[in-house]
Amino acid sequence: MLDFDFWSPTYFSFGRGRESMTGELVKKFGGSRVLIHYGGASAVKSGLIDRVKKSLKDAGISFVELGGVQPNPRAELVYAGIDLAREHGVDFILAVGGGSVIDSAKAIAAGAPYNGDFWDMFCGVPMGENVLPVGVVLTIAAAGSEASNGCVITGTDCTKRVFSGPSDLNRPRFAILNPELTATLPPSQVANGGADIMAHIFERYFSKTKDVETTDRLCEGLLLALIETLPRAVKNPADYEASANIMWAGMLAHNNVVGVGRKQDWLSHRLEHELSAKYDVAHGAGLAVMFPAWMRYVMHYDTPRFARFARNVWGVVDTDDLTAANHGITKLVEFWSSLGLPKNFAELGAKREDIESMADGVAALGCEGMGSIMQFYKNDFIKIYELAADAK
Ligand code: NZQ
Ligand code: ZN
């Protein structure tokens, strides 16, 4: 196991009706003037925004609001949020939504006190220590941004980028996780979220680091729980118990508790970000197409690891490692397909002729040389995209 530091300071309030605690939690974490940030229509329509406002009012906290965050959030709204936060002397950003809203909120929180263009922090300038606190009321289990140090924004140049500097300061101070709130999700979004959660585990599990049995077992356990609960939640997004398990799994998959002490991969995410930047597809749907392609490409470089995945997660019994590894990947594709997720470029709405330019885009973001089991370069990006395009 590798040496590591791990700092995950988010306070969780989990359960039915917990959004009524919002005002109290903002106060507990030092907020007095809040920017409420949310997405399209869902949180307004469900009455959640009104309940959050009531909780803030009851706690004597004033607020301004900014809705309209799109999936794959854009820099334009971040600039608007930064202006609003400065204009009103906001000292706390409250995200009510999913990964897109939370990431937009994190970018505003980092950008408002920054003396310059917030986009610098996505282009190599480390974020400073002067960052506004962020709180979250989560409405979809997926990106794990409610406790992660990540933040993904699409710039005005149409590149989708992740914070480049150390960003642990941007981990939310609190996250309210009420599984009732995901009952209004369309089944396709439950499935997209499930694919993303599983992908966050894969990025860590498929590692070249040996002797990480503790986190390997945590990864496998989370995957088994998701395989059991996701079909229930996709069938019925109002299944509270299934949603509750998925919501907690989504947090555990990405606050890095299962990723410490090992070299991680993350190429599939970078390849997917290029897809969602180009076609505006849902992140989880893009991963459902990219990850099996990545697996089929990489399994030859560490077949025993892929055979272990097949046996421990999918119950595959083949004794030959290569046969087992292939079988495990097929089981994953069948599982995701049963949830209605796409398998290839055609089902996703992506085009084979864009592969070269997407590979260039990934390389331009400095991703050549990344990877855990192997290091990837532009030629590898192209081959993995081709496997994804042609998958059956
Ligand atoms: O905008 P509204 O109307 O709310 O609709 C949203 C949106 O259309 C809808 N939705 C959310 N909660 C709902 C609901 N609809 C009905 N009822 C509810 N309770 O779902 C749609 C998707 O929302 P979004 O926030 O985009 O989903 P997700 O959580 O999957 O976030 C995706 C974004 O997170 C980034 C992705 O790249 C993508 O931009 N990621 C962020 C990470 C991080 N910060 O650590 C890590 C991830 O790997 C990922 O890259
Ligand atoms: Zn993801």
Side-chain angles (χ1 to χ4, degrees), residues 142-144 195-197 199-200 203 254 266 269 272-273 283-284 287:
D196 192 19
I197 295 170
H200 292 159
E203 298 285 15
H254 199 44
W266 295 101
H269 263 72
E272 192 296 314
H273 285 164
H283 174 61
L287 285 167

Side-chain angles (χ1 to χ4, degrees), residues 12-18 138-142 146 175-185 190 197 222 225-226 228-234 236-253:
F12 299 103
S13 181
F14 191 104
R16 292 180 169 88
R18 290 297 174 106
L138 189 67
T139 64
I140 175 173
E146 64 274 16
I176 291 175
L177 308 182
N178 172 4
E180 291 173 318
L181 299 179
T182 60
T184 50
L185 280 167
V190 179
I197 295 170
L222 284 173
L226 288 160
E228 191 201 314
T229 49
L230 277 170
R232 284 164 52 194
V234 169
N236 174 19
D239 181 330
Y240 180 88
E241 297 300 341
S243 305
N245 279 282
I246 295 164
M247 194 171 253
W248 192 238
M251 193 292 294
L252 290 168

Side-chain angles (χ1 to χ4, degrees), residues 86-269:
R86 287 178 180 162
E87 188 188 329
H88 292 273
V90 159
D91 59 12
F92 198 99
I93 315 291
L94 179 67
V96 183
S100 297
V101 173
I102 303 168
D103 286 1
S104 188
K106 286 177 174 180
I108 294 169
Y114 177 66
N115 189 17
D117 185 345
F118 91 93
W119 193 242
D120 294 348
M121 289 178 254
F122 290 76
C123 303
V125 177
M127 66 186 275
E129 301 221 334
N130 193 12
V131 172
L132 295 180
V134 174
V136 171
V137 181
L138 189 67
T139 64
I140 175 173
S145 187
E146 64 274 16
S148 82
N149 63 0
C151 176
V152 186
I153 301 288
T154 302
T156 50
D157 60 357
C158 295
T159 58
K160 191 169 179 183
R161 292 173 184 249
V162 185
F163 257 140
S164 50
S167 50
D168 275 326
L169 283 169
N170 226 18
R171 287 188 192 251
R173 298 294 204 280
F174 72 80
I176 291 175
L177 308 182
N178 172 4
E180 291 173 318
L181 299 179
T182 60
T184 50
L185 280 167
S188 60
Q189 291 292 3
V190 179
N192 291 340
D196 192 19
I197 295 170
M198 291 175 76
H200 292 159
I201 300 167
F202 296 155
E203 298 285 15
R204 295 166 165 103
Y205 182 77
F206 291 103
S207 169
K208 72 169 184 190
T209 310
K210 303 296 174 212
D211 290 319
V212 283
E213 196 61 24
T214 301
T215 42
D216 273 349
R217 291 288 177 180
L218 287 171
C219 289
E220 290 165 359
L222 284 173
L223 290 168
L224 287 167
L226 288 160
I227 291 165
E228 191 201 314
T229 49
L230 277 170
R232 284 164 52 194
V234 169
K235 195 168 165 209
N236 174 19
D239 181 330
Y240 180 88
E241 297 300 341
S243 305
N245 279 282
I246 295 164
M247 194 171 253
W248 192 238
M251 193 292 294
L252 290 168
H254 199 44
N255 84 332
N256 210 28
V257 71
V258 301
V260 292
R262 58 170 73 215
K263 184 154 170 45
Q264 304 182 12
D265 197 274
W266 295 101
L267 180 73
S268 303
H269 263 72

